[in-house]
Amino acid sequence: MAMTIKNQAEIDKMRAAGRLVGEIHVRLAAIIAPGVTTAELDRLAADVLAEHGATSSFLGYRGYPATICTSVNDEIVHGIPGPRRLREGDIVSIDVGAILDGYHGDSAWTYPVGAVSEEAARLLRDTEAALDLAIAAARIGNRLGAVGAAVERFAIPRGFGVIREYGGHGIGRQMHEDPHVPNHGRPERGPILRPGLTLAIEPMLTTGGEATRELADGWTVVTADHSLAAHFEHTVAVGPEGGIILTERPIGVVH
Ligand code: MF3
Ligand code: CO
């Protein structure tokens, strides 16, 4: 799907969809604990979407069977919610996409379940830092390659694997629009980032290698070496000082 340029009214609609995605994350984070099933997380996300008259970006997409994606430990992305119970020490990557008023918001976050290992905590901290750097690089006038270069240059010297077989994407009326947004590359490559371009930026790092495998369910992507994986994603509009986050977590949401 082609690269689309949005006007301010469209970006405002994407911010509304994104804010709902952020609210869903806040509400999921509040119930993540040992013993909770990933299906329970999916149900809560579906309920909040319905409360707002929104729908899931993922449910039914190429036959995807759930509202959100829940990927545990060595699962990188596209884990399908089900009866699995989270355990103390797990990490769970939750990917949420919402369609509101015709526009998508898409954001993922990896959460610790109870106390996690120092290795897991460092992976989470540094994958979030890689996302922050990638967003800062999503600046009008930069080339797209600056985004992936920022991830790679931060992650590789710190000993992490960078997932190269999956990446971010343009987003708008469609969940996946051009361009593909790799988490690696060179800053002088790719199209120039222009005002009105909206991107889902989503680094995926591992504590081991970079090879992936897809499970027999046809969706779940795991690390080939079963090392831990983390995934942090925001939807942004490129701006003069870097990406403007459209999927902020609202503060002060009380339910
Ligand atoms: N955020 C993910 C992506 O950008 C979620 C896709 S899950 C799917 O690809 F089921 F919709 F494919
Ligand atoms: Co995405």
Side-chain angles (χ1 to χ4, degrees), residues 95 106 169 176 200 202 233:
D95 198 340
D106 187 5
H169 47 92
H176 290 151
E202 45 182 319
E233 174 185 30

Side-chain angles (χ1 to χ4, degrees), residues 222-255:
V222 300
T223 54
D225 60 7
H226 299 295
S227 58
L228 295 174
H231 177 208
F232 286 76
E233 174 185 30
H234 271 307
T235 298
V236 309
V238 305
E241 284 147 27
I244 300 159
I245 297 174
L246 303 178
T247 40
E248 288 283 14
R249 309 293 181 261
I251 45 170
V253 179
V254 180
H255 290 273

Side-chain angles (χ1 to χ4, degrees), residues 58 61 64 69 78 95 106 169 175-176 202 219 233:
F58 307 161
Y61 178 84
Y64 184 73
C69 302
H78 302 171
D95 198 340
D106 187 5
H169 47 92
M175 170 168 65
H176 290 151
E202 45 182 319
W219 283 101
E233 174 185 30

Side-chain angles (χ1 to χ4, degrees), residues 23-40:
E23 179 181 339
I24 291 170
H25 271 286
V26 169
R27 292 188 50 181
L28 293 173
I31 69 161
I32 291 172
V36 171
T37 70
T38 53
E40 287 163 356

